Amino acid sequence: MTTTTWEDLVTSALLGTDRRAPAADVLARSPGKDAPVALLDAAAVHTVRRRAGLLPGPAADLPEPAPHDERPPLPDTARRRLTQLLADRSGGSSGGGRRGAAPDLTELLPQWLAAANEHGYRAPASALPALLDAARARTDLRPAALVFAGPRGLWLARLNPEWRFALRGASGGTALPDPADEAAVRHLWEEGLFAERVALLGAVRAHDPATAAALLASTWSTERAEDRLMFLDSLRTGLSDADEPFLEQALSDRSRNVRSTAAELLSALPHSAFARRMADRASSCVGLDRTGAEAVITVEAPHECDAGMQRDGVLPDPPTGRGARSWWLGQLVESAPLAIWSSRLGGRAPAEIVALPVTDDWRDELHAAWCRAAVRQRDPAWARALLGTPTTPPATGPGTSSLAERSKLLSILPGGERACWVADFIAAHGLSEAFQLLGVCTVPWAEPLGRAVVDALDIARDAGSYPWSFSGVMGLAERCLDPGQADRLELLTAVPDEPEGASPGAGGYWSEAFQRLVATLRLRAAMLAELRGVRPGAT
């Protein structure tokens, strides 16, 4: 009869058989064997006994069946391509700093997902785990990946804590109730996941804005601060004057971020009481002096941030290194309707106003605030005025020399105009300052922009520079150039003659970079053909 327990065996193993010899019954079952071997034999026997004698636990409830997804399936070639893209998730830097001519599949996945969603395909069930893993690792993939995953992806995400992001990040294609069904709307609003509630709010707003406002107000005081902020952010879509009463109440919210967002949204409603209050404050600070030979904009920044300003979202404490008065002035001007400045400054158009001199070194502060106002109010005329001509050096032009601010201004312009502006900027200033500007251009790039980028890269190649300094632009070109340009760029894949003074080996690096560019463009063309259900190469 066995008297040694599993705990005895574990103790002997941890201490060592020299310090804790196995019991006599253990040694007796393995005659002629050393103590360590006898101990392992006994452990093996105990393991088999423990497993054989294990009683089954109570069966867990089966999950609800996955919902049906009515979208059409992917074509077979596109499904195989998705498997390939999801399998190659090792990443790697894109562009000229990466060696080899093979395309970076990781960087093509966002574009593939966007195209698949445009066609309205559903994700293959077998690909959902890898798709959710990819979205968990890369936040930039999440919106498109969750749309593609659809209701089945959301169903699967509920079963794995690592995919919990999907339950808050998107509706996942969950069917929403009829906005007119008050009982169903109320049930989902009170019991649904946060993402479902955001989607429901949008659907109800499209049907009846007043009902949506009442729905949001009914639970507003019990929502978490971060959820209140995200609900407010969702109001950007379809923002209208009907939202003003609710946003006015949100100006008194206990969360500073909520108050600031409410103020930002109200400033985008030029007929709101908030906009009028900000217009009065801003116009009292900025005026026109006509006494001299030419008109000059005068600025008298606020001397205090009173309670009314703070209630309207003006932050009283400036960032480190920023003067308090300029900080308050900027917030007032960026929140005031841009339409007030024409009448305030002599009936001038935006371009004429931006060209006026400004007293006492307030020009940069004033123009930067106008830039933020133009972005917030989506005003193309002011955006054009503040951008100026693309050939003007950024440091001496109107508006702002910040490329980040210029990118935001460009995003307001129509896609074709945006592309032409950036193409002219590259022709005048090269690629070194154009990376952020390229990032806001519509994909695929329009022909003038694509030609300007390739010409600038070709000039850098002929100069014998290393492509590493252009790696970001080269990576963008791989993803954004028109795939139809691949054949035209084939000539650039040859190793160029190295000019005198060129960096050693630069020609080989450029050849690889252009080979990768051409290969990526051809792969993108094949991907798009596969999603159309067309065999690549077929006409």
Side-chain angles (χ1 to χ4, degrees), residues 279-306:
D280 290 342
R281 293 173 178 133
S283 60
S284 69
C285 297
V286 180
L288 190 66
D289 181 3
R290 298 186 179 91
T291 59
E294 60 176 350
V296 177
I297 295 177
T298 60
V299 175
E300 180 65 30
H303 290 273
E304 64 173 343
C305 184
D306 59 35

Side-chain angles (χ1 to χ4, degrees), residues 84-333:
Q84 179 188 23
L85 294 175
L86 290 173
D88 184 20
R89 288 170 41 219
S90 59
S93 60
S94 294
R98 177 165 53 87
R99 294 306 303 267
D104 185 353
L105 300 185
T106 303
E107 293 303 318
L108 294 182
L109 183 56
Q111 195 168 112
W112 188 97
L113 289 170
N117 287 334
E118 287 178 4
H119 287 281
Y121 290 124
R122 72 167 181 261
S126 60
L128 287 175
L131 183 64
L132 290 171
D133 277 341
R136 179 172 64 91
R138 290 181 56 179
T139 56
D140 63 308
L141 287 179
R142 290 182 183 179
L146 294 177
V147 169
F148 184 55
R152 290 186 172 183
L154 184 61
W155 172 85
L156 190 61
R158 290 191 178 99
L159 305 178
N160 185 345
E162 291 188 350
W163 299 330
R164 191 174 300 154
F165 69 89
L167 306 182
R168 292 183 60 84
S171 65
T174 301
L176 298 175
D178 185 336
D181 187 342
E182 294 182 8
V185 166
R186 171 57 62 180
H187 176 75
L188 183 59
W189 182 253
E190 294 179 350
E191 303 294 336
L193 299 167
F194 179 77
E196 294 171 332
R197 298 176 70 211
V198 171
L200 177 65
L201 182 64
V204 176
R205 274 170 60 80
H207 175 74
D208 185 350
T211 300
L215 189 68
L216 184 56
S218 67
T219 59
W220 183 256
S221 62
T222 61
E223 305 285 357
R224 299 186 306 169
E226 55 265 38
D227 290 348
R228 296 199 305 276
L229 184 61
M230 293 185 71
F231 277 130
L232 270 192
D233 201 58
S234 72
L235 300 184
R236 296 179 191 276
T237 302
L239 184 68
S240 70
D241 291 336
D243 297 310
E244 181 183 356
F246 180 81
L247 293 174
E248 276 285 345
Q249 293 180 1
L251 286 175
S252 302
D253 195 89
R254 56 187 180 274
S255 166
R256 187 180 74 174
N257 289 335
V258 171
R259 295 195 301 271
S260 296
T261 301
E264 179 185 345
L265 292 174
L266 282 167
S267 69
L269 299 175
H271 303 296
S272 66
F274 172 89
R276 290 193 296 273
R277 295 194 298 270
M278 286 302 192
D280 290 342
R281 293 173 178 133
S283 60
S284 69
C285 297
V286 180
L288 190 66
D289 181 3
R290 298 186 179 91
T291 59
E294 60 176 350
V296 177
I297 295 177
T298 60
V299 175
E300 180 65 30
H303 290 273
E304 64 173 343
C305 184
D306 59 35
M309 290 168 59
Q310 293 184 46
R311 193 263 176 184
D312 281 342
V314 178
L315 302 178
D317 300 323
T320 302
R322 182 80 178 273
R325 295 182 65 199
S326 65
W327 173 243
W328 301 331
L329 174 71
Q331 293 179 79
L332 295 181
V333 172

